């Protein structure tokens, strides 16, 4: 789902909707990463704990414990993203750049405006 939002062109969206799209990009990317790698981490942890048991007892780690590990990782990320979102929200910014004349090709001059993807006010 985050790939769809990451692939959107900023020129195809309205200026009013762009901060929401940018926020959705960050939140979906964070949630997808936490769910995918959290699940792999918790499964690897279960296999590691079973095979490194020195007493050779049958150690059982239930599925709900794996879900709790993923839930804790997701809750940490949600706290970080929530703090970031409410303290420094995204906005769309455009900067006019100075023309650049190539020192090697005298007929080449580059002049453009850059629309920063999800900038902060200080950048």
């Amino acid at each position: 789902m985050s790939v769809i939002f990451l692939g959107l062109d900023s020129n195809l969206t309205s200026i009013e909707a762009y901060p929401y799209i940018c926020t959705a990009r960050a939140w979906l990317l964070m949630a997808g990463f936490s769910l995918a790698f959290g699940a792999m981490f918790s499964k690897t942890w279960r296999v590691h704990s079973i095979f490194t048991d020195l007493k050779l007892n049958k150690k059982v780690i239930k599925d709900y414990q794996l879900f709790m590990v993923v839930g804790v990782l997701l809750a940490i990320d949600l706290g970080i993203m929530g703090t970031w979102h409410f303290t420094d929200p995204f906005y769309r910014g455009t900067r006019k750049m100075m023309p650049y004349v190539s020192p090697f090709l005298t007929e080449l001059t580059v002049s453009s405006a850059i629309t920063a993807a999800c900038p902060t006010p200080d950048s």
Side-chain angles (χ1 to χ4, degrees):
M1 189 69 171
S2 67
V3 174
I4 294 170
F5 284 101
L6 289 170
L8 286 176
D9 187 11
S10 63
N11 293 327
L12 298 177
T13 61
S14 68
I15 293 173
E16 296 81 24
Y18 193 73
Y20 300 112
I21 293 170
C22 200
T23 302
R25 285 178 180 177
W27 282 80
L28 288 172
L29 187 63
M30 176 275 311
F33 183 85
S34 295
L35 290 173
F37 286 99
M40 284 192 291
F41 169 74
S42 63
K43 290 177 186 178
T44 304
W45 169 67
R46 175 167 45 186
V47 171
H48 170 76
S49 64
I50 290 171
F51 285 107
T52 58
D53 188 16
L54 296 177
K55 297 178 183 175
L56 297 176
N57 294 335
K58 186 175 180 182
K59 190 171 190 177
V60 177
I61 297 177
K62 307 264 191 227
D63 288 340
Y64 77 89
Q65 292 172 314
L66 300 180
F67 287 128
M68 286 178 52
V69 169
V70 175
V72 166
L73 292 174
L74 194 60
I76 291 170
D77 281 343
L78 287 175
I80 292 170
M81 288 297 291
T83 304
W84 180 24
H85 176 73
F86 291 114
T87 58
D88 189 20
F90 294 127
Y91 78 99
R92 181 178 176 161
T94 303
R95 291 188 180 181
K96 299 286 185 186
M97 305 300 289
M98 296 297 293
Y100 172 76
V101 179
S102 173
F104 304 108
L105 301 171
T106 56
E107 67 274 358
L108 179 65
T109 301
V110 177
S111 177
S112 67
I114 295 178
T115 302
C118 306
T120 59
D122 297 332
S123 64

